[in-house]
Amino acid sequence: MGERGWLARTVRRFVADESDLDAEELQQDVVECGAKAVSECHQGALATVRGRVRSVVFKPKETVPTLEAELWDGSGSVTLVWFGRRQIAGIEPGRTLIVRGRVARRGEERLIYNPWYELEPSAP
């Protein structure tokens, strides 16, 4: 399997879509750090997930403004919501995070409110 596996992986890298390869790599990282795939997180569950920030949006509201970040792990996305924050240093598109919190739902969207988070080192 060694050489055939290597050859198959090499050929796949040349013909596969870049976003598919990125998703596979992110999922491998999820497994290696012991986190849970976003697609397997259910409402009410306490979860640790790892992924890459796709977007960050400040939503000013009359009551409490929120900062929302979409975290994608290759299997799905979860929206991270911080109340009363305009920005958080290091929470920016392209940054990899490990987050922990209780999963909630807003329609079909998964959310984690005020999650504990750890910034992964930025790629050079």
Side-chain angles (χ1 to χ4, degrees):
M1 161 132 170
E3 189 172 317
R4 286 181 51 166
W6 172 84
L7 181 59
R9 286 190 305 273
T10 302
V11 169
R12 174 143 170 67
R13 290 219 175 265
F14 284 114
V15 298
D17 185 280
E18 190 173 324
S19 63
D20 291 340
L21 293 173
D22 188 40
E24 287 175 13
E25 185 178 314
L26 282 170
Q27 277 297 287
Q28 184 62 36
D29 292 343
V30 166
V31 170
E32 288 175 5
C33 81
K36 190 170 192 172
V38 168
S39 62
E40 297 174 5
C41 294
H42 303 288
Q43 182 173 355
L46 191 57
T48 299
V49 296
R50 181 186 189 279
R52 186 175 306 125
V53 176
R54 279 186 158 175
S55 65
V56 179
V57 178
F58 171 66
K59 295 190 173 186
K61 297 186 178 177
E62 291 180 19
T63 54
V64 178
T66 61
L67 182 68
E68 297 188 7
E70 179 189 5
L71 187 74
W72 182 67
D73 77 344
S75 74
S77 294
V78 61
T79 301
L80 310 173
V81 181
W82 288 274
F83 295 108
R85 303 293 297 265
R86 292 182 180 278
Q87 65 181 35
I88 299 173
I91 304 292
E92 56 197 25
R95 190 67 183 258
T96 301
L97 306 174
I98 295 175
V99 301
R100 289 188 191 103
R102 193 156 309 275
V103 179
R105 298 285 254 185
R106 180 169 57 196
E108 292 298 311
E109 180 182 20
R110 290 178 181 90
L111 303 112
I112 299 178
Y113 292 100
N114 293 317
W116 172 91
Y117 65 94
E118 179 179 337
L119 301 171
E120 293 282 308
S122 297

